[in-house]
Amino acid sequence: MTEEHTDDAGTTGVKVMVIDDSKTIRRTAETLLKREGYVVVTATDGYESLSKIADERPDIIFVDIMMPRLDGYQTCALIKNNREFRNTPVIMLSSKDGLFDKARGRIVGSEQYLTKPFTKDDLLSAIRRYVGNEARTDKA
């Protein structure tokens, strides 16, 4: 187990993955989160994310729903069906905010659903909610 040092906000060492086919969304989220002290890993689609998840082992994953090849629902289902990563929180990102879309996200195992455009506070509150001391000890 690697030793982790945390700052006052507890962000150091927390690894966040952002999966989105939009370069703008990836860069925006990455910039906002890095400024707050998080380690950020990005992927352009569900396929690319799967190998990165295995290699990087993020503490929380934000995934866009509408992506080519492997959409966010399929990506979330694959993560949640993997014994090693099923406890990793997955937050769905979408410009759609319909009840059906949110329900489908819950069915595949996502913890939360954020509607784009999201704010810095939306991202940070989701991370704080799902990646705390309790969440980290469950993964160990």
Side-chain angles (χ1 to χ4, degrees):
M1 185 114 179
T2 59
E3 188 179 329
E4 289 188 11
H5 301 285
T6 56
D7 58 17
D8 291 338
T11 61
T12 305
V14 173
K15 196 174 284 188
V16 179
M17 175 172 262
V18 179
I19 309 164
D20 200 306
D21 57 326
S22 164
K23 189 176 193 176
T24 304
I25 296 290
R26 287 193 316 273
R27 278 200 177 154
T28 301
E30 183 175 23
T31 302
L32 292 172
L33 294 171
K34 280 186 172 178
R35 272 194 208 134
E36 296 295 320
Y38 293 100
V39 175
V40 182
V41 179
T42 62
T44 57
D45 62 41
Y47 280 115
E48 182 187 359
S49 75
L50 296 177
S51 62
K52 285 189 174 184
I53 290 167
D55 292 342
E56 299 286 343
R57 302 187 169 284
D59 295 296
I60 187 168
I61 300 167
F62 290 91
V63 61
D64 181 33
I65 290 174
M66 302 295 289
M67 294 185 295
R69 301 197 306 164
L70 195 63
D71 72 23
Y73 297 122
Q74 295 165 318
T75 303
C76 181
L78 288 169
I79 294 165
K80 293 300 185 174
N81 285 318
N82 183 305
R83 198 170 10 161
E84 226 173 308
F85 301 109
R86 72 169 51 127
N87 293 324
T88 303
V90 176
I91 312 300
M92 307 300 279
L93 301 173
S94 181
S95 51
K96 296 179 176 184
D97 66 352
L99 187 60
F100 175 77
D101 300 299
K102 291 178 182 181
R104 190 167 171 208
R106 297 298 284 192
I107 288 167
V108 296
S110 71
E111 274 70 23
Q112 191 174 336
Y113 190 104
L114 292 180
T115 305
K116 295 189 223 175
F118 50 79
T119 66
K120 175 177 129 180
D121 289 339
D122 292 336
L123 292 176
L124 296 178
S125 66
I127 294 168
R128 286 187 199 110
R129 180 174 179 186
Y130 297 105
V131 184
N133 291 332
E134 315 80 42
R136 302 198 97 187
T137 53
D138 287 348
K139 284 182 73 178

